[in-house]
Amino acid sequence: MPSSRPLAGRTAAIVSVLGGGALFLVIVAIALTLFSNLRSVERSLPEYGHTDLFALQAGVRDAQFLSDMIVAAKHAPDNDAIRQRLVAALDFNFIRYFQQDLSDLQEKYPGYEEFVERFRSFLLRLDGSVSEAGSLQQAGMEEYDREIHELRSDLLVLYHAANAANQEGLLGAQASIERLNHAFLAVFVLLMGLTIGACLLWLQRQRALGRLEYLVCHDPLTHLLNRRWLLGEGDAWLVQNSVKGVWALVLFDLDRFKEVNDNFGHAMGDELLALIGKRLRETAPTDSAIVRFGGDEFVLLLTGDDEGKIFGRLETVQAALARPFHIGDLQFRTEISFGIALAPEDGSVVSDLLLKADFALREAKRTQSHSVRYSQALGEAYREKLALRSRIEAALENGEFFLEWQPQFDLATGRMVGAEALLRWRDPVLNKVRLPGEFIPVSEETNLIILIDRYVIGEALKDARQLVQEIGPRFECAVNLSAKHLQEQGLPDRLFESLAAFGLSPSNLRFEITESALIHDARAAFGNLDRLNKAGIKFSLDDFGTGYASLNFLVNSCIDQVKIDRFFISDVLTSERKRAVVTSVVELSARLGLDCVAEGIEDQQQVDFLRARQCPRGQGFHLAKPMSRDDLIGLARSGAFADLTTVGEFASDD
């Protein structure tokens, strides 16, 4: 805004010469000047859509696409489809950095010019390598993978800096408008007679403020309210609508939305989100509030006379979102999980309800339910889980875990043929030893299970070296391997290094995996399974019959041993159905050439039954309880065999 001193001096001179007529002209000039400045402030607002930011963001996406293709090429160098997609990714980036005019961005953002030169150099080198190399394996994808990650990180830094500057510009424009408001009031007093001019200025001011408020409180992609509005104005909205009875905060997100971005690109993902926002605006009740909370997460604030009306309105929204979305020739059906918190029962402010709706949403995803309503028991359970995860992390750091070994016996001879490593937790808080069932399920929900697996494998291999030396080279050490760890990239190489470091043969190691480990991300699981098995490591299918129980795993995988879960063994003498299952599994294993182990043998009658069915192996408290490594060595040195009596009443088939 120009300084007022020259204008004031000029006004005094004109007034002294021309009198009242000149004063009128000065007032009009002041009004026109304010009007012009207000338009200038409005024009200084970031253009709707943030063109520069979108250009940088598109650059990040293209770089990520190229990075993904380089990673894919690195792991599948002979795949022609991947090579074609890599070339397509190069073409996108060549268009951006060699054909598009980037001069405006280079002038506005320090460091972008240097980044463009580096990226162009990288593209030329990568294009030359891909074109000249006979295969992608010869093109040096490893070095290009590292370099593209560095370039993408640098571009992300530029993007975040530009975004921060953009936000700062918005706030600065808002402050400028507020200052102009004060000036406007002063002019308004002077221009009481110029009603038309004052009205024009006021209307212009309202337009500028309205546009600014829209940008601050709305999501530009979906045109829904945004996270800032919810956290800043949500409580006021709740107070205003609390007279209607009860209301609900519904937090929901799209299941597997990442697959859309990964397979069709982020632009397609954004278009799908925009269509979801449009459908929400069309179907949600007019007295509700719809918020895009972030990413693919949305919040719906619903009111009603009672809970039944609220859930009826929610079902209408859910039915609308269940209908397919059409983008070009593609059709998308969204699977959405809902977490619901009700007020005032579950809380009276947005922050409390968001937390509880998030608990319910996570439970819906965990149980694969369509929607879950928050309850006090659910909240307490999640808080206990969080506390337990923290305790598990501390236990790993403080060395509170240890291993015990439970022997496995040949049921025909009673000879000990192997042992299973069992994890124990010496918990100083509860002052007791905790079994895996108390902490493994919680760990499997996060990557904590991988840390626990690594600890168990390391300790088991350390013990196995001494067990093999003392007991014999054919002694098998069985270790449980989680589903997440089996799917982890690089697992075989780390295991091979560990086996070599401890001087162990792969044949001394047996991994016990559950059926669920082969269901989720089966490609990664079977890939690692195949590499490990070809090296000589054996695999058992643990808890057989309690999960998916797919016979396909027994026929088409590297499994060479089946473990019958204790669930079937415990009542095998009293339940005809469980007796039939155990008999069938033993016979099926024998016909497929697989070893079979019965778990949880608790008495001699169970031993007699299993021996009568010619089950090869068994383990359980009746045969031997879990013990330390040294006690296991002592048991082996004593030459003790499991006490197996002569087959009795179960000698004949049922």
Side-chain angles (χ1 to χ4, degrees):
M1 177 178 174
S3 173
S4 61
R5 291 185 179 180
L7 291 175
R10 191 185 312 165
T11 300
I14 294 175
V15 169
S16 63
V17 177
L18 300 177
L23 178 61
F24 172 79
L25 294 176
V26 171
I27 292 174
V28 172
I30 293 174
L32 291 175
T33 301
L34 288 173
F35 183 82
S36 175
N37 286 335
L38 189 59
R39 290 294 301 273
S40 176
V41 170
E42 183 185 14
R43 286 194 299 269
S44 70
L45 290 172
E47 287 296 324
Y48 182 76
H50 308 283
T51 305
D52 292 342
L53 287 178
F54 283 174
L56 291 174
Q57 190 177 44
V60 173
R61 290 176 180 171
D62 288 348
Q64 181 61 52
F65 180 32
L66 182 57
S67 175
D68 292 342
M69 292 304 99
I70 290 174
V71 171
K74 181 174 66 174
H75 294 290
D78 296 322
N79 190 310
D80 290 336
I82 291 178
R83 185 187 188 102
Q84 292 174 2
R85 296 188 69 182
L86 176 58
V87 171
L90 274 169
D91 290 342
F92 284 144
N93 284 275
F94 265 97
I95 292 172
R96 177 170 300 282
Y97 290 100
F98 285 90
Q99 297 181 15
Q100 292 185 1
D101 185 5
L102 304 177
S103 57
D104 287 345
L105 292 175
Q106 292 173 342
E107 291 175 4
K108 291 179 181 179
Y109 302 108
Y112 188 70
E113 183 175 1
E114 179 187 353
F115 169 81
V116 169
E117 292 301 319
R118 291 170 54 207
F119 205 97
R120 285 173 175 172
S121 174
F122 170 78
L123 290 175
L124 291 172
R125 288 185 284 109
L126 177 57
D127 182 61
S129 297
V130 172
S131 301
E132 296 171 5
S135 68
L136 294 180
Q137 190 170 11
Q138 300 171 353
M141 291 295 109
E142 191 70 33
E143 180 62 21
Y144 287 121
D145 182 29
R146 181 194 62 76
E147 189 172 353
I148 189 63
H149 274 81
E150 293 179 358
L151 288 169
R152 180 180 175 275
S153 298
D154 292 344
L155 185 55
L156 276 174
V157 170
L158 288 172
Y159 169 77
H160 290 308
N163 187 47
N166 190 62
Q167 293 298 322
E168 184 178 355
L170 282 173
L171 296 176
Q174 185 178 17
S176 298
I177 289 177
E178 292 299 328
R179 290 194 296 270
L180 282 174
N181 286 340
H182 296 301
F184 168 76
L185 292 176
V187 173
F188 184 78
V189 174
L190 296 175
L191 300 179
M192 291 294 293
L194 303 176
T195 305
I196 297 178
C199 289
L200 290 175
L201 287 172
W202 183 83
L203 289 173
Q204 194 69 18
R205 166 184 172 273
Q206 292 303 107
R207 285 181 56 197
L209 284 177
R211 187 176 181 188
L212 182 61
E213 289 175 357
Y214 186 89
L215 290 173
V216 169
C217 297
H218 286 78
D219 171 54
L221 177 64
T222 61
H223 304 291
L224 302 177
L225 295 167
N226 61 16
R227 182 192 189 103
R228 180 172 181 173
W229 178 90
L230 180 65
L231 299 180
E233 305 296 331
D235 288 336
W237 187 94
L238 297 179
V239 171
Q240 181 181 354
N241 290 273
S242 61
V243 295
K244 298 180 180 179
V246 296
W247 50 268
L249 187 151
V250 183
L251 177 65
F252 58 97
D253 69 6
L254 280 65
D255 299 335
R256 301 193 302 277
F257 177 69
K258 184 177 181 296
E259 294 179 5
V260 177
N261 285 334
D262 291 346
N263 290 288
F264 299 98
H266 287 271
M268 184 70 75
D270 287 348
E271 193 166 352
L272 177 59
L273 290 174
L275 290 177
I276 290 172
K278 180 181 178 182
R279 189 168 294 179
L280 284 170
R281 293 194 306 274
E282 293 171 348
T283 57
T286 56
D287 58 351
S288 64
I290 317 167
V291 179
R292 184 188 178 195
F293 197 61
D296 63 336
E297 282 190 321
F298 297 84
V299 171
L300 182 61
L301 299 177
L302 293 171
T303 62
D305 298 330
D306 52 45
E307 293 183 13
K309 187 171 183 179
I310 285 180
F311 282 102
R313 289 181 164 188
L314 178 58
E315 288 175 0
T316 300
V317 174
Q318 290 173 332
L321 294 177
R323 299 198 307 270
F325 293 88
H326 297 276
I327 303 176
D329 296 332
L330 298 176
Q331 175 177 290
F332 295 91
R333 287 189 178 274
T334 58
E335 296 180 11
I336 302 177
S337 299
F338 295 82
I340 307 164
L342 296 180
E345 179 181 347
D346 299 329
S348 57
V349 295
V350 165
S351 57
D352 288 346
L353 292 165
L354 266 177
L355 176 64
K356 293 171 180 178
D358 187 51
F359 285 155
L361 177 60
R362 279 185 272 173
E363 182 67 10
K365 287 184 174 296
R366 187 186 70 83
T367 59
Q368 297 183 347
S369 304
H370 184 52
S371 61
V372 169
R373 176 184 169 182
Y374 174 82
S375 65
Q376 185 175 356
L378 176 63
E380 292 175 355
Y382 268 92
R383 281 187 283 272
E384 289 175 1
K385 280 186 179 181
L386 292 175
L388 181 56
R389 288 173 189 165
S390 178
R391 285 285 302 112
I392 294 171
E393 291 176 357
L396 283 167
E397 294 176 0
N398 299 332
E400 297 171 12
F401 289 110
F402 66 97
L403 295 185
E404 288 187 330
W405 294 86
Q406 185 171 35
Q408 296 178 350
F409 295 92
D410 185 323
L411 293 182
T413 64
R415 182 174 59 87
M416 183 171 66
V417 292
E420 178 183 359
L422 302 175
L423 183 62
R424 301 289 186 260
W425 177 10
R426 191 177 288 107
D427 190 343
V429 176
L430 299 182
N431 194 28
K432 72 170 188 177
V433 173
R434 304 179 71 167
L435 300 179
E438 300 180 53
F439 56 88
I440 290 298
V442 172
S443 303
E444 287 178 333
E445 296 177 5
T446 67
N447 285 333
L448 267 177
I449 190 62
I450 295 180
L451 300 179
I452 291 176
D453 268 9
R454 290 175 180 172
Y455 167 81
V456 172
I457 291 173
E459 293 298 306
L461 292 179
K462 187 191 306 180
D463 287 353
R465 176 171 56 184
Q466 190 168 353
L467 291 172
V468 171
Q469 290 174 352
E470 297 290 341
I471 299 176
R474 300 181 63 184
F475 192 77
E476 278 188 2
C477 298
V479 181
N480 288 280
L481 186 65
S482 68
K484 284 190 175 182
H485 203 183
L486 179 59
Q487 296 157 11
E488 188 182 36
Q489 185 178 2
L491 171 65
D493 293 329
R494 285 195 297 272
L495 283 174
F496 298 152
E497 291 176 3
S498 298
L499 286 169
F502 286 105
L504 290 169
S505 167
S507 62
N508 295 129
L509 181 60
R510 175 180 290 278
F511 280 123
E512 297 187 1
I513 59 176
T514 61
E515 294 157 320
S516 62
L518 303 175
I519 290 292
H520 303 293
D521 198 358
R523 180 179 299 178
F526 276 105
N528 285 341
L529 192 72
D530 184 61
R531 281 194 65 192
L532 294 171
N533 184 254
K534 286 180 178 178
I537 296 175
K538 295 180 284 292
F539 285 87
S540 302
L541 192 59
D542 200 10
D543 303 334
F544 182 72
T546 61
Y548 295 94
S550 173
L551 298 180
N552 179 55
F553 297 147
L554 300 182
V555 176
N556 297 318
S557 71
C558 304
I559 302 297
D560 71 340
Q561 185 182 83
V562 175
K563 299 194 74 175
I564 305 175
D565 189 70
R566 66 181 65 247
F567 169 78
F568 298 104
I569 302 301
S570 60
D571 300 324
V572 73
L573 303 177
T574 57
S575 170
E576 292 185 6
R577 292 190 174 185
K578 290 185 178 180
R579 190 182 305 179
V581 168
V582 172
T583 301
S584 298
V585 172
V586 172
E587 292 178 355
L588 177 63
S589 299
R591 289 180 179 273
L592 293 175
L594 305 178
D595 196 7
C596 187
V597 181
E599 294 184 291
I601 299 175
E602 303 292 341
D603 57 51
Q604 185 59 42
Q605 286 184 307
Q606 293 172 354
V607 173
D608 292 342
F609 173 83
L610 292 167
R611 294 184 69 198
R613 271 68 187 172
Q614 297 182 353
C615 180
R617 295 189 182 189
Q619 71 180 85
F621 275 33
H622 178 69
L623 303 177
K625 295 181 178 180
M627 61 190 70
S628 68
R629 177 200 61 195
D630 294 338
D631 289 341
L632 184 64
I633 292 174
L635 177 66
R637 286 176 175 172
S638 68
F641 281 57
D643 183 15
L644 306 177
T645 62
T646 304
V647 178
E649 59 179 302
F650 297 104
S652 60
D653 291 337
D654 295 303

